[in-house]
Amino acid sequence: MNKDLLTINELTAEDIGRILDRSAWLKKALKDGVTHHPLKGKSLGMIFEKSSTRTRVSFEVGMYQLGGQALFLSSQDLQMGRGEPVADTARTLSRYLDGIMIRTFGQKIVEELARHAAIPVINGLTDLHHPCQALADIFTIREKRGALAGLRFCYVGDGNNMAHSLIEACVKTGMHVALACPAGYEPDAGIMRQARQVAAETGAELTLTGDPNKAARDADILYTDVWASMGQEQEHAQRVKAFAGFQINEKLLKAASPDVLVMHCLPAHRGEEITAGVIDGPHSVVFDQAENRLHAQKAVLELLMASK
Ligand code: CP
Ligand code: NVA
């Protein structure tokens, strides 16, 4: 694996396989009460420029369970928030810490931090990517379905950070991806281009349509995310109009496979991108996804930070 985890695309299929296998091992070890402290004495700094429930708590608890500790660093309190260069922050934190997790706006900030840090940097969400969530999600799918290649993955909604990391994770593991996005809210063209190249190698199909019913046909997984992401709050009203019809609801479920898994990274807005009946219904695995953030990130932390 590389020094950092900034996007899914930079992982090889072997890296992903190792992370998923290790996630399963760590999950079982935790449930069996096995003490496992490969990060004893190590510290992870967690820089947050946006809100978080799952990412913050799962990284902090994960470090503790691996024998290390985590420091919550709000950008409001860091000198970075007052204009200290990202590069200087990276060089300084590298003198104290063994790893950095960062949630911020621009992907460029994460890249700059990683370039100047001597220690691993993990992307905990940017406007463009959310690799930790995508890893937990494909781990959840593998747990439920046994294998990934050949499954039909349908994403309905905004072509956002979540869509980008899921597209990359799915095509790399040979899953077929059907996206349904409103006009003007399609995924990043560069990420789609790269994903098409990966798909050609793995045999995955990748399609993009404006018709959720078409995309959902025979889907093994139906996935959605919020219509307005963090930082887009002022666009909410306009997005509610644009995304009408791009909802995972009881009717859309009928187009999918009878044992479809319904997924959402959370937080969810019931009545917008998904109905309460579906997210709280029998097909939903959203809290397994949330739990698996812990196990998948522990695998990443161990692979990047142990004995380094
Ligand atoms: N899914 C996710 O990243 O949740 P948080 O924003 O609560 O961390
Ligand atoms: N797309 C969402 C994901 C939240 C975990 C956001 O960026 O706000």
Side-chain angles (χ1 to χ4, degrees), residues 102-172:
I102 177 165
R103 167 168 286 196
T104 186
F105 293 87
Q107 183 72 13
K108 291 252 176 299
I109 298 172
V110 175
E111 286 168 7
E112 194 182 350
L113 192 77
R115 201 163 51 245
H116 295 282
I119 55 179
V121 171
I122 299 170
N123 180 353
L125 181 146
T126 61
D127 292 343
L128 213 56
H129 293 279
H130 197 0
C132 294
Q133 181 70 51
L135 287 171
D137 294 339
I138 58 171
F139 175 55
T140 306
I141 298 168
R142 202 179 77 160
E143 271 189 321
K144 307 278 178 199
R145 293 289 176 262
L148 297 174
L151 290 176
R152 301 200 160 277
F153 184 97
C154 167
Y155 180 94
V156 176
D158 192 15
N160 61 12
N161 46 10
M162 206 55 258
H164 295 151
S165 289
L166 287 166
I167 292 166
E168 292 185 350
C170 289
V171 295
K172 201 149 263 199

Side-chain angles (χ1 to χ4, degrees), residues 49 74-86 89:
E49 293 203 83
S74 157
S75 62
Q76 281 173 352
D77 305 327
L78 289 176
Q79 294 289 5
M80 206 170 89
R82 296 179 56 245
E84 183 169 15
V86 172
T89 305

Side-chain angles (χ1 to χ4, degrees), residues 180-208:
C181 307
Y185 296 94
E186 294 92 350
D188 177 85
I191 291 175
M192 285 295 278
R193 205 175 315 116
Q194 217 162 30
R196 282 207 183 88
Q197 282 171 13
V198 175
E201 289 161 22
T202 63
E205 288 163 19
L206 176 57
T207 59
L208 173 61

Side-chain angles (χ1 to χ4, degrees), residues 48 51-56 103 124-125 130 133 162 230 265-267 293:
F48 281 94
S51 306
S52 170
T53 296
R54 282 145 287 269
T55 306
R56 178 179 175 178
R103 167 168 286 196
L125 181 146
H130 197 0
Q133 181 70 51
M162 206 55 258
M230 290 182 277
C265 59
L266 304 177
R293 292 292 301 278

